[in-house]
Amino acid sequence: MAPDYTTLCNAPTPFSKALGLAYDALVHSASFDAMSAWNSLSERVKQGIYMGDGLLLPHTRIAGLERPLMAFCVCPAGFTGIEIRGGEKAHFMCVLLSPAESAMAHTQAIAGMAKLILDPEWKARALAVADDAAVKALF
């Protein structure tokens, strides 16, 4: 699945800032109840979104959404302002909004992201990108 929004954060970046920018981009790429979706996403963040291997995966399912929406951010220096067990550092963030009516679409998007993050060569290329266009080209 190709992301609707991609970006490179060239310096340590607050998680809340990166999440806000990514979410705003998704809001402008489809029609859905943005406030309800934000509230749901915020609840998910409170439950924990660190998936391991440097990946933050804030995600939620939204009623009536026509297709999954994804934003992907790379931050080689690491996202700040978010607690992660064991002192690990998050370098990637994938914001995923999926149709509530399709568990399959949600599961497939998460599985696709996991497959990429678990590939050491892809991960190395992602951490070495030079600009936003190079992040997009990863997909």
Side-chain angles (χ1 to χ4, degrees):
M1 175 177 170
D4 298 275
Y5 169 81
T6 55
T7 193
L8 170 65
C9 302
N10 286 314
T13 302
F15 164 72
S16 58
K17 178 181 178 181
L19 178 63
L21 292 171
Y23 184 74
D24 185 62
L26 296 180
V27 166
H28 289 93
S29 66
S31 179
F32 58 92
D33 181 350
M35 185 53 71
S36 175
W38 177 255
N39 290 339
S40 180
L41 191 62
S42 296
E43 282 302 312
R44 183 63 184 98
V45 168
K46 289 177 190 175
Q47 296 170 13
I49 55 167
Y50 187 64
M51 308 311 278
D53 288 299
L55 176 64
L56 297 168
L57 185 65
H59 61 283
T60 193
R61 294 174 57 193
I62 301 170
L65 195 62
E66 290 185 20
R67 63 177 179 85
L69 303 173
M70 186 170 77
F72 187 78
C73 309
V74 176
C75 186
F79 293 103
T80 62
I82 186 163
E83 271 190 51
I84 299 172
R85 68 182 181 271
E88 292 182 53
K89 191 178 279 190
H91 301 283
F92 309 101
M93 180 177 64
C94 176
V95 181
L96 177 63
L97 308 177
S98 300
E101 300 79 12
S102 178
M104 181 66 76
H106 187 73
T107 303
Q108 286 177 334
I110 290 173
M113 190 73 256
K115 182 178 178 184
L116 292 175
I117 288 296
L118 292 173
D119 178 344
E121 291 177 18
W122 186 90
K123 204 168 153 180
R125 283 195 319 273
L127 288 171
V129 296
D131 54 32
D132 291 349
V135 177
K136 186 174 183 101
L138 291 167
F139 295 89

